[in-house]
Amino acid sequence: MRTAGNLQFVYFSLLLRKKFVKIMAEELDDNDFYRENFSADSDWEVFNVQLGELLQKWDVAVDMGAPLQPEELFHCKWHVETERLDMLRNSIAVDYYEAQTTGKGSPTAESEPGSVCLQRTNCHHDLMSNLNTFGPPIRSSSELHTLARIYGLRRFVLLHPVQASGNYMKSTSEFNFFLSAAAVVAAEVSSVVPIFVQIHDPKWNFYTGVAMAPALRTHFRLIGLEQAPSECRYLSGLLTLFHDKLPSAYTQEARVSVRTTYTLDAVRIRMPLYVPFNHGLGSEDIAIDGDVERLDVHHFYALPHGYAPESSTESYLVYTWPELSESVTFDSEQRTDFVPSKAPLGKIYLSVEAFSYLSLCLADYQTVGKVTRSLESYVGRNFSGISSGAERTNPLDKLTEHKLSSRRERNYELPSQESLTKRLPGPMTEKELIELLAYLFPDMYPEMALFPYSKQSFKDKFDPMRIKSAVPDSLVCRLSCLLATCHAHLGSLEGMAQLWAAFTRQLRLLWDNSLTVPGIAPGFPDTRTCLLHQKLQMLNVCVERRLQREAFGKRKQQQTKVTAQQQQSKAGEQEEEEDEDEDEDDGEFYDCDEAIPSSGSPTKAVLSLKPEGRLKRLGQERLLDEPEEYLYVPVTQEPVPKTEDQLQDDAEVMLKLGPGSGLSTQMMCTSLLSDMEAFKAANPRGRMEDFIRWYSPKDWEQVVDDNGESRHQLSVRMTTEGNTWQKVWEQAQPVPVARQRRLFDDTNEALKVLHYLETRNMSEIYGLTIIPTLHTAILKLIDIYSNAQVQDIFASHIEQLLNDLCRLSRSHSNELPQLESLLQELSELERRFYQFKCFERLAGYPKRSNLPEIKRQFEEILKNDNCCTIVDKKRGAAGDVLCSGGSLYELLSPKLEQDISSRLISKDYVIRLDGDTKSGEKGLYLGPQFMRAIVTGEKLRLCGAFTESTVFV
């Protein structure tokens, strides 16, 4: 055992010696002198250096900013920067907060010449200012930081763990580590911005901090008591506690600001859920307290409305004493002067929690934009049902077909329900689906048509230069709203797909029977409207062209039949004459009795100079080569309609081909070639100059020659070598419109539209319909507000919504529009309307108040963050109570006095004491002293900022 122990001891001795030799070798310099390194930085020193660099970057040594305006901190924007430092076992986040103030404040007394205290910083000004003492009692998600709310600071720095919820600071050593670092660094960089450290669980909002100034140091502390002593819940005990904390004696009295907050009974109004075409259970069947009030709508929109049963509005009465001397008021457990009847300022705050079914439906519909499943995956393949007549026929037979199909010649017969809903799976029954189709196509279901299309709606209310949508209450708007409603209440994605499939099947049925789509603005596709509306306009144009072509074919067939009969009768008469004629001539007969109208060759005059396809004369204009002949306007083909996506495809093709490509020239000049051929057929002796005089008069210029005579000639762009117009003119042959190839194939274009609509996936259907849906939703809100006579209150908000929707609808991005902000604004607008209805009930309308006065008060609530002044003695005579709400104060006071002790929810005391240069020894500024006490029942939260001098006298 001894031998083994000795060996072990020797082994460890050698190991330590080897390690020591290695360390010595590393510490030896070139001269073989050993130097021990005492300059290694500790973690605390490294953290201080990093923190100091951040503070210098944020210019914390510069005391910037003008005096704050009243409640400016609660309404201004905040600039926040966050940096991350690695320290100990956690990463520390360093946040810099700075209020973006207007800087319009008037100079304070201390800033006047001769009275400047160099020791006083903006931090001291903020602590002593009573203009930002109390903010709104209702907290929102976008409110300012707790430190700014408690102390009224405009600038501060905050240190906290990056993942504070799980790795927050728990021990006193950690508190002191970072707080000492903050104090040392603040002194080194001459910081005038307070630095805070967040301690304990973040949900408790506990902070400790320090602020440096010349010869002054301010300590910030926050504590909380679950059961505070009774004397500390009143001003008298708080003043005693405050004076005990003062580091030195002050000659002046402390200033006190007090606010008491009372709660009233929540106002709950039930506005039941209404879902169009849904006859099932609604929210009105749910048992819940509250008065029932239904929303009145003048126009029918296929969108839900109403509010969730749990919607309500809570009211808070807040009474404020802005500033008092500690000796002029009394507040203890036995007696208090802080009662509502003695308050110089009283306000009512409304907190609304309302969930609109319309906003929920739109937000739910937004999720469809991420669904890329095809329509066939929901309703199966070949869901279009009846195929087009053009598809059922042989294309080769169309070349020799001269008769119209018997199916189109007969009168239209209403389709049966079975033909429209056959083999169309989905959550809706045939009866429910037919009811929706009757709303979309009322002319096809006269016995069920409750909402026919109004022709006047296509002339009013819609400005296509603004929102890229469709005419209100058009087929596009009805379909878009129905899709959103189906997704939210009538079967989700399956119900939405079922409706879209039935819609496309109905369109194909209309096309097969040569019927136009109802509820669509007439004319060519208007690129100022949404793409879905353009597609349906294109389908209507195809139907109209088809009807025109078929009508022309009928007329031509009748004319051919009449001509054939006339020729047969003439042939019979000639045969009779030949039988009676004694001269038997077996040779061929030519009828040359008619005079030739020109002096040229008879054959050329008959074959080449016979005009065709003339529409009318072009005034008194004559041909340049034939002054005796008039210039005629030819019958031309109608322009080719194109939708927005087709124009974009053409532009991309032109861009790829380049300007010099022959195919590019052919694409651009197809219509020009047709017009030139029609012109040559109508004016056989015409020249290109004659064509330009009719087609482009601006290129037929009048010039003066050298002799001073006036004459006309082509413009420079028409006479340039290699001009496209000249090339096309040379290629053009005299062909009238009747024998030209159609520029617009109505059958092919109609089938393209139907195929486009039938092959959209769910995300693409959403993209086609979301803008009309939002447009209709805003129009529905306008209708509701108009019936409630409050449209003037929300007019600016509605206008802002329309402007935002216009911007989104005209975005040139191929991606789906980002609607989060717009939906939030719309939801907020609906919440405001519910808030108004509750405020209307709270004010006793219509028995104890009138609507104009309520609207005026609610406008103040909208402008002042849910706040309305009910008492303001400063505006009235001395001792009088001026009620800005008239009967509102008289109505609310009895409700509050019934049980005032139980309705008190919080008391907020703020005590300030500011020293001057005369109150301290040797004229030194003693610094500000600040304490806020928040009393909620038996709980007490103390927030102190006490200043001490760092000058050793």
Side-chain angles (χ1 to χ4, degrees), residues 422-563:
K422 185 178 180 181
R423 297 186 304 275
L424 197 59
M428 289 183 286
T429 63
E430 294 183 5
K431 182 179 180 181
E432 293 172 339
L433 194 57
I434 290 297
E435 187 178 7
L436 300 184
L437 292 176
Y439 173 64
L440 297 176
F441 304 95
D443 296 340
M444 302 180 65
Y445 302 87
E447 71 282 356
M448 302 178 62
L450 300 178
F451 308 99
Y453 289 107
S454 174
K455 295 182 179 180
Q456 187 66 24
S457 63
F458 293 94
K459 301 179 181 178
D460 303 334
K461 299 183 186 178
F462 179 61
D463 182 10
M465 296 300 294
R466 190 173 185 182
I467 300 176
K468 197 176 180 66
S469 176
V471 179
D473 199 35
S474 62
L475 175 60
V476 173
C477 293
R478 291 187 179 189
L479 173 65
S480 303
C481 296
L482 274 183
L483 289 172
T485 303
C486 287
H487 181 262
H489 301 281
L490 301 177
S492 188
L493 289 171
E494 290 76 10
M496 176 182 166
Q498 186 182 13
L499 176 62
W500 182 266
F503 168 74
T504 57
R505 176 181 291 185
Q506 192 76 45
L507 293 180
R508 188 170 286 274
L509 185 64
L510 291 174
W511 164 250
D512 287 343
N513 291 272
S514 298
L515 294 174
T516 57
V517 182
I520 298 298
F524 279 16
D526 189 354
T527 56
R528 300 172 299 175
T529 60
C530 64
L531 183 58
L532 179 58
H533 186 261
Q534 296 178 42
K535 291 293 183 181
L536 297 181
Q537 281 184 312
M538 174 66 80
L539 190 59
N540 275 352
V541 171
C542 294
V543 172
E544 294 170 359
R545 293 284 181 90
R546 176 196 238 178
L547 294 175
Q548 293 175 3
R549 178 168 49 83
E550 293 177 349
F552 178 77
K554 284 184 177 181
R555 290 195 302 268
K556 188 175 180 180
Q557 183 180 359
Q558 292 175 357
Q559 292 176 359
T560 304
K561 186 175 182 180
V562 172
T563 304

Side-chain angles (χ1 to χ4, degrees), residues 732-946:
Q733 301 297 324
V735 182
V737 171
R739 296 199 300 269
Q740 287 184 8
R741 180 183 177 184
R742 284 186 294 167
L743 297 177
F744 179 74
D745 189 347
D746 49 72
T747 302
N748 187 32
E749 292 298 329
L751 295 180
K752 283 183 180 179
V753 172
L754 295 174
H755 177 74
Y756 175 85
L757 297 177
E758 291 169 353
T759 56
R760 299 301 93 189
N761 60 30
M762 305 307 293
S763 176
E764 291 169 339
I765 294 174
Y766 165 82
L768 290 173
T769 57
I770 183 58
I771 296 299
T773 303
L774 293 174
H775 187 201
T776 307
I778 297 176
L779 294 179
K780 181 164 187 172
L781 289 184
I782 295 176
D783 187 17
I784 293 175
Y785 296 166
S786 178
N787 291 330
Q789 302 180 8
V790 295
Q791 186 176 357
D792 53 338
I793 299 179
F794 303 102
S796 60
H797 300 81
I798 290 289
E799 188 67 21
Q800 183 62 37
L801 273 178
L802 293 174
N803 291 336
D804 295 341
L805 182 59
C806 177
R807 175 179 52 82
L808 290 173
S809 66
R810 300 193 174 275
S811 175
H812 298 289
S813 175
N814 294 329
E815 299 179 356
L816 296 176
Q818 300 298 324
L819 306 176
E820 287 77 10
S821 60
L822 180 66
L823 292 179
Q824 290 178 0
E825 293 176 7
L826 193 144
S827 177
E828 178 65 21
L829 192 60
E830 291 194 272
R831 288 178 61 255
R832 291 293 190 179
F833 176 74
Y834 185 86
Q835 187 181 36
F836 172 82
K837 300 301 290 185
C838 293
F839 180 72
E840 190 179 58
R841 187 70 55 85
L842 185 66
Y845 177 80
K847 295 181 180 180
R848 302 189 59 178
S849 59
N850 53 47
L851 187 59
E853 183 65 19
I854 292 177
K855 291 167 66 175
R856 185 189 65 81
Q857 294 170 344
F858 192 75
E859 287 179 352
E860 182 182 354
I861 291 176
L862 293 178
K863 294 178 181 178
N864 299 331
D865 291 337
N866 303 307
C867 168
C868 175
T869 302
I870 58 175
V871 178
D872 192 353
K873 292 185 177 180
K874 295 182 180 179
R875 300 180 184 176
D880 295 336
V881 176
L882 178 63
C883 302
S884 63
S887 61
L888 184 59
Y889 176 78
E890 300 174 358
L891 180 67
L892 298 178
S893 295
K895 295 182 179 181
L896 183 63
E897 293 174 356
Q898 291 177 359
D899 193 4
I900 189 171
S901 59
S902 62
R903 296 186 181 274
L904 178 64
I905 58 175
S906 70
K907 296 186 295 182
D908 204 343
Y909 302 93
V910 177
I911 307 174
R912 295 183 175 91
L913 184 57
D914 192 12
D916 53 19
T917 56
K918 299 179 182 179
S919 61
E921 299 180 2
K922 298 183 180 181
L924 294 177
Y925 174 59
L926 298 180
Q929 312 296 336
F930 174 95
M931 189 179 76
R932 178 189 290 266
I934 303 173
V935 181
T936 306
E938 295 184 353
K939 297 181 180 180
L940 173 64
R941 186 178 181 87
L942 292 176
C943 313
F946 294 96

Side-chain angles (χ1 to χ4, degrees), residues 371-379 497 759-762:
V371 180
T372 58
R373 285 183 59 183
S374 65
L375 190 62
E376 292 182 351
S377 64
Y378 292 97
V379 295
T759 56
R760 299 301 93 189
N761 60 30
M762 305 307 293

